[in-house]
Amino acid sequence: MIEVALATFVTLFVTIDPVGLAPIFVALTQGMDQATRNRIALHAALIAVGVLAAFGLAGERMLGLIGISLPAFRIAGGMLLFLIAVEMLFERRTQRREKSAEEAPGHDPTVFPLATPLIAGPGALATMILLMGQHSGAPGTQAIVLAVMAGVVLTAYMLFRLSGLVERVLGPLGINMVTRLLGMLLAALAVQFVLDGLGDVGLLPAEVQ
């Protein structure tokens, strides 16, 4: 159980990247008072938890309805996460997120772009389907995955509330360093997803996985 919780936390943490989101939250809520910022952070976190949980619980069924096997989705999901890792390593992910923030309509960023796609983005949604699919038929383990996911989003929420302090303490250089370290870890996790998918269809021997 501890191994499942730890693997889930690491995978979702590097995919969602709460530390990297903190300065973007500051930019999205610039000029707002602290009470408004806290409200936006809370609502965005709740919406993101709902979206991620829905995809985790119903994602495998949706894949089955359209004829996509879980091994195929594992391979595709691993490739998607690897692309996100490359973006993190070469600073493209931050640029894309900042562009999404600039294109956000109106003055309330709660649903778009904060809840989705910044927190519950394509990588996080794919990760939830993959993690829940790995433990299909084990409701207790799936409950742990959902609880850890909520914990990761809670971490993002807390960092949003402390975003000004986080940005000042880490600075651009610190945030860049953390993002690149998380990118390396995510790249390794992405390759593991691909190996698992290939192993599921018998293309790799068990000792390679």
Side-chain angles (χ1 to χ4, degrees):
M1 292 297 184
I2 295 177
E3 291 180 359
V4 172
L6 183 59
T8 300
F9 181 83
V10 170
T11 306
L12 285 172
F13 190 88
V14 298
T15 305
I16 295 174
D17 186 17
V19 177
L21 285 178
I24 296 176
F25 177 80
V26 172
L28 286 170
T29 57
Q30 190 172 11
M32 298 180 183
D33 59 71
Q34 192 60 45
T36 302
R37 280 186 163 188
N38 291 345
R39 176 183 58 79
I40 289 174
L42 177 61
H43 290 174
L46 291 174
I47 292 170
V49 167
V51 172
L52 290 168
F55 268 77
L57 291 169
E60 191 173 354
R61 294 190 189 93
M62 289 190 296
L63 292 177
L65 289 175
I66 57 179
I68 299 175
S69 68
L70 191 57
F73 191 81
R74 279 201 181 105
I75 295 170
M79 294 170 68
L80 172 62
L81 293 177
F82 189 82
L83 290 175
I84 293 174
V86 170
E87 287 186 335
M88 293 172 71
L89 287 170
F90 292 98
E91 299 184 42
R92 295 174 186 168
R93 192 186 197 196
T94 301
Q95 294 171 7
R96 175 168 52 82
R97 283 173 161 179
E98 289 173 347
K99 184 178 179 181
S100 296
E102 291 171 0
E103 293 174 352
H107 298 286
D108 189 346
T110 302
V111 177
F112 175 85
L114 199 51
T116 179
L118 293 182
I119 302 176
L125 297 174
T127 299
M128 281 303 298
I129 296 176
L130 291 170
L131 292 172
M132 294 291 280
Q134 284 180 335
H135 305 291
S136 57
T141 307
Q142 289 185 327
I144 291 175
V145 172
L146 291 173
V148 172
M149 176 272 293
V152 173
V153 177
L154 176 63
T155 302
Y157 165 69
M158 296 303 297
L159 288 174
F160 288 164
R161 295 197 59 158
L162 300 171
S163 53
L165 177 62
V166 171
E167 191 175 31
R168 287 194 299 272
V169 170
L170 290 179
L173 183 62
I175 291 173
N176 183 38
M177 181 184 69
V178 170
T179 299
R180 293 195 177 202
L181 288 173
L182 292 177
M184 284 294 297
L185 188 56
L186 182 59
L189 290 167
V191 171
Q192 187 61 55
F193 276 134
V194 173
L195 292 176
D196 290 344
L198 292 173
D200 288 342
V201 295
L203 295 179
L204 285 180
E207 60 268 17
V208 178
Q209 300 176 49

